[in-house]
């Protein structure tokens, strides 16, 4: 492994730990975005991208990490898919309840399992497949009313999930880049994409309202949380197989439901409670599978 580069061999327990950190960070970002529903989504997306870029550059400089890109093709694919996912994510977060948006956004592992099979040739083992099935069933139970409502925002959330899956699978191919370099590249590309989207909004809907007052602090916190999540996510996908790492992201659904209940007073019913139990069971299955891999490697 080169200095500052990615770890080549699989380390499933460390990957799950980083994914847990990423899930918490992205839940905080999503909750902050949902709480600023008065600000148009293109403004939120651009603000998040700009702050994320500034924070990522500061982190990279502080750690002395290289920003040099070795594999331009894969890096651009990761950044463009990630930017498309971010754009759709902010639309979904401002048009759906937090738990509904998070649930649909976290169908990513289903897309990852398919994409990893096709693009990486990764075999999805029985344990990971069972965990995916349990998690999917849990998500259906949690948000069964919203998923059949026909709201276009739900489709946008699914598009965000599919785009994010392609971005995450690309991370597995970036074996020679530093995590900081990956996040800086993504944040720079995302800033350009969000600026274009804001310009189109300006042309069609009039000048967007920018965050002001206390909202500025909220946007800054959103950028910090998002960047922390991106760094943890990037590290996780270089430490283990894409399908299993992506499946661990279901933890974000459980966290979002808790925040939705505590902050936004959206309390899940009996069906949702059953779904949460299935998601937690899926997470336990992933940890058990990771431990078995560690034992075999030992």
């Amino acid at each position: 492994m080169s200095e500052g580069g990615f770890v080549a061999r699989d380390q499933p327990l460390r990957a799950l730990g980083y994914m847990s950190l990423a899930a918490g960070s992205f839940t905080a970002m999503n909750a902050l975005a949902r709480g600023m529903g008065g600000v148009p989504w293109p403004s939120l997306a651009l603000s998040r991208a700009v702050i994320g870029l500034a924070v990522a550059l500061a982190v990279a400089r502080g750690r002395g990490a290289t920003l040099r890109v070795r594999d331009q093709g894969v890096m651009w694919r990761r950044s463009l898919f990630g930017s498309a996912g971010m754009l759709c994510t902010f639309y979904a977060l401002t048009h759906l309840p937090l738990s509904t948006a998070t649930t649909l956004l976290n169908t990513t592992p289903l897309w990852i399992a398919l994409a990893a099979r096709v693009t990486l040739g990764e075999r999805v083992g029985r344990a990971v497949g069972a965990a995916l099935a349990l998690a999917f069933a849990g998500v259906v139970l949690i948000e069964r009313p919203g998923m059949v409502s026909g709201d276009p925002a739900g489709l946008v959330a699914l598009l965000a999930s599919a785009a994010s899956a392609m971005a995450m699978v690309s991370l597995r191919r970036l074996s020679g880049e530093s995590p900081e370099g990956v996040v800086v590249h993504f944040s720079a590309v995302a800033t350009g994409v969000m600026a274009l989207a804001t310009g189109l909004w300006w042309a069609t809907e009039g000048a967007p309202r920018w965050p002001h007052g206390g909202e500025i602090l909220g946007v800054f916190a959103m950028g910090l949380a998002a960047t922390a999540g991106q760094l943890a996510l990037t590290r996780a996908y270089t430490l283990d197989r894409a399908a299993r790492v992506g499946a661990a992201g279901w933890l974000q659904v459980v966290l979002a439901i808790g925040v939705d209940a505590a902050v936004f007073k959206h309390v899940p019913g009996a069906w949702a409670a059953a779904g949460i139990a299935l998601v937690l069971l899926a997470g336990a299955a992933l940890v058990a599978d990771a431990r078995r891999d560690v034992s075999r490697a030992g």
Side-chain angles (χ1 to χ4, degrees):
M1 181 185 74
S2 61
E3 181 71 22
F6 282 168
V7 178
R9 64 187 181 87
D10 288 352
Q11 299 183 44
L13 290 181
R14 287 188 65 198
L16 288 172
Y18 276 113
M19 276 302 292
S20 297
L21 175 60
S25 299
F26 286 129
T27 298
M29 184 203 79
N30 292 349
L32 287 166
R34 187 74 184 93
M36 290 184 286
V39 181
W41 63 274
S43 301
L44 281 178
L46 179 58
S47 300
R48 177 262 183 264
V50 170
I51 293 173
L53 176 58
V55 173
L57 284 170
V59 170
R61 182 174 182 179
R63 291 173 59 89
T66 179
L67 301 182
R68 184 166 64 91
V69 176
R70 295 178 176 85
D71 193 332
Q72 291 281 346
V74 175
M75 184 73 88
W76 273 98
R77 186 160 63 247
R78 182 267 179 271
S79 295
L80 288 172
F81 274 117
S83 298
M86 181 193 292
L87 192 66
C88 293
T89 292
F90 275 91
Y91 179 89
L93 287 171
T94 54
H95 289 77
L96 293 168
L98 178 62
S99 57
T100 302
T102 303
T103 299
L104 296 176
L105 291 170
N106 277 275
T107 57
T108 301
L110 303 176
W111 299 100
I112 285 177
L114 177 60
R117 174 75 176 181
V118 173
T119 65
L120 299 180
E122 291 187 2
R123 176 179 170 273
V124 177
R126 291 181 181 178
V128 175
L132 288 173
L134 282 174
F136 180 76
V139 167
V140 170
L141 290 176
I142 290 167
E143 292 298 341
R144 53 195 293 270
M147 295 177 79
V148 298
S149 65
D151 190 336
L155 177 59
V156 174
L158 289 173
L159 289 174
S161 180
S164 297
M166 293 303 299
M168 296 307 100
V169 169
S170 296
L171 283 178
R172 189 65 169 157
R173 290 185 176 274
L174 291 172
S175 59
E177 318 293 347
S178 71
E180 293 81 5
V182 173
V183 175
V184 167
H185 189 278
F186 161 66
S187 298
V189 173
T191 297
V193 172
M194 303 314 141
L196 177 60
T198 302
L200 291 174
W201 174 280
W202 195 307
T204 58
E205 303 291 338
R209 183 173 80 80
W210 297 101
H212 63 273
E215 292 172 342
I216 296 177
L217 292 177
V219 169
F220 185 72
M222 186 176 67
L224 286 175
T227 304
Q230 282 293 331
L231 288 169
L233 187 76
T234 299
R235 179 63 73 181
Y237 273 93
T238 64
L239 292 173
D240 195 20
R241 298 195 305 267
R244 182 164 57 202
V245 173
W250 291 110
L251 174 62
Q252 191 179 339
V253 175
V254 178
L255 294 176
I257 289 172
V259 171
D260 220 6
V263 178
F264 300 106
K265 310 306 178 186
H266 182 270
V267 180
W271 286 106
I276 292 172
L278 289 178
V279 172
L280 291 174
L281 184 59
L286 289 170
V287 172
D289 185 53
R291 289 188 182 278
R292 281 194 295 271
D293 273 9
V294 169
S295 298
R296 296 189 194 103

